[in-house]
């Protein structure tokens, strides 16, 4: 069975502070890991995926297979980063359904 | 171009009634997914289509739920004899093909309230 755990519901930081949103997963095989973001009154959208190994809006995430983690990090938070963040997992092949964590609300205060 | 659209945006119904929720995927996307998001939870997978056929319906909670995609484009999620526990936001997503490496694009969702 595939499972995604986001242990915290809310993270509140001041602008300019570093951010780390935690994500742990369980999957028997090689998973594809994603972070999705939902800004206020907008639809769910892809932020980044581990296969791309890229930085989006200053965010990065490294897949750690030993710790089965995919934490999202940003060194300097901006107010516009305030949103709901979901970690998600799928299989690499045709098993493409996404399994999401419960999500975490990031609040960046001025 | 246009993204994934869903209608209606809100649906209020009474317990026991039948409802249909519609999803229009991005043109050319062969894979279409339905998820359900209850309050305080992440989206949960219901069913996905590759073309016209349901490739995986393992997430449908019971036989009151059914989905179709007769022409490989628009999909309808049908819920019979609705219950209060069916209240949730129903999300649709589409992708170019059914692969874990291909991005899924989400619609705005339909908020279903069963009174």
């Amino acid at each position: 069975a595939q499972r995604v755990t986001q242990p915290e519901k809310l993270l509140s930081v001041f602008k300019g502070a570093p951010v780390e949103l935690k994500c742990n997963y369980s999957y028997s095989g090689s998973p594809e890991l994603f972070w999705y973001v939902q800004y206020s009154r907008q639809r769910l959208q892809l932020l980044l995926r581990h296969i791309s190994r890229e930085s989006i809006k200053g965010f990065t995430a490294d897949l750690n297979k030993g710790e089965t983690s995919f934490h999202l990090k940003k060194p300097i938070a901006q107010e516009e980063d305030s949103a709901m963040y979901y970690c998600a997992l799928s299989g690499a092949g045709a098993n493409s359904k996404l399994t999401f964590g419960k999500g975490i609300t990031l609040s960046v205060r001025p | 171009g246009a993204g994934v659209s869903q209608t209606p945006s809100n649906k209020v119904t009474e317990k026991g009634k039948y409802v249909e929720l519609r999803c229009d995927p991005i043109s050319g996307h062969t894979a279409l997914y339905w998820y359900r998001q209850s309050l305080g939870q992440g989206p949960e997978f219901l069913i996905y289509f590759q073309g016209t056929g349901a490739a995986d319906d393992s997430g449908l909670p019971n036989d009151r739920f059914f989905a179709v995609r007769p022409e490989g484009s628009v999909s309808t999620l049908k819920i019979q004899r609705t219950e209060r526990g069916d209240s949730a936001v129903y999300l649709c997503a589409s992708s170019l093909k059914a692969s874990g490496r291909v991005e899924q694009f989400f619609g705005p969702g339909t908020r279903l309230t069963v009174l």
Side-chain angles (χ1 to χ4, degrees), chain B residues 16-19 63-65 78-83 86:
Chain B
K17 300 289 188 183
Y18 167 83
V19 296
D63 61 7
R64 295 187 297 106
F65 289 74
K78 308 181 181 194
I79 310 174
Q80 298 178 318
R81 305 183 303 281
T82 51
E83 299 178 356
D86 299 334

Side-chain angles (χ1 to χ4, degrees), chain B:
Chain B
V4 177
S5 62
Q6 293 185 245
T7 54
S9 55
N10 279 283
K11 176 71 177 177
V12 181
T13 191
E14 293 180 342
K15 179 174 178 292
K17 300 289 188 183
Y18 167 83
V19 296
E20 289 189 352
L21 311 180
R22 176 188 168 108
C23 173
D24 281 86
I26 293 172
S27 178
H29 281 195
T30 63
L32 184 148
Y33 305 79
W34 284 99
Y35 296 87
R36 177 169 73 172
Q37 187 170 20
S38 302
L39 197 62
Q41 304 293 318
E44 292 178 300
F45 170 77
L46 295 176
I47 183 172
Y48 93 86
F49 293 86
Q50 177 59 47
T52 59
D56 183 349
D57 64 357
S58 62
L60 294 178
N62 51 59
D63 61 7
R64 295 187 297 106
F65 289 74
F66 189 71
V68 295
R69 194 186 186 200
E71 298 178 357
S73 178
V74 170
S75 176
T76 305
L77 179 65
K78 308 181 181 194
I79 310 174
Q80 298 178 318
R81 305 183 303 281
T82 51
E83 299 178 356
R84 293 197 179 89
D86 299 334
S87 296
V89 176
Y90 289 81
L91 297 170
C92 176
S94 71
S95 64
L96 274 172
K97 61 178 182 178
S99 167
R101 297 194 166 186
V102 177
E103 180 177 355
Q104 293 183 26
F105 294 85
F106 282 80
T110 293
R111 182 174 298 278
L112 175 66
T113 303
V114 182
L115 301 177

Side-chain angles (χ1 to χ4, degrees), chain A residues 6 8 11 19-23 35 59 70-73 85 104-106:
Chain A
Q6 293 181 254
E8 299 155 332
L11 179 62
V19 166
E20 182 178 46
L21 307 182
K22 297 190 188 305
C23 173
W35 277 96
F59 285 97
F70 189 57
H71 304 326
L72 184 68
K73 300 178 183 179
Y85 291 80
I104 180 170
T105 301
L106 174 62

Side-chain angles (χ1 to χ4, degrees), chain A residues 58-93:
Chain A
F59 285 97
T60 58
D62 291 319
L63 178 60
N64 185 323
K65 292 186 177 181
E67 295 183 358
T68 59
S69 68
F70 189 57
H71 304 326
L72 184 68
K73 300 178 183 179
K74 184 170 183 177
I76 301 171
Q78 306 294 329
E79 288 179 69
E80 55 265 31
D81 296 328
S82 296
M84 191 78 181
Y85 291 80
Y86 295 94
C87 183
L89 170 160
S90 78

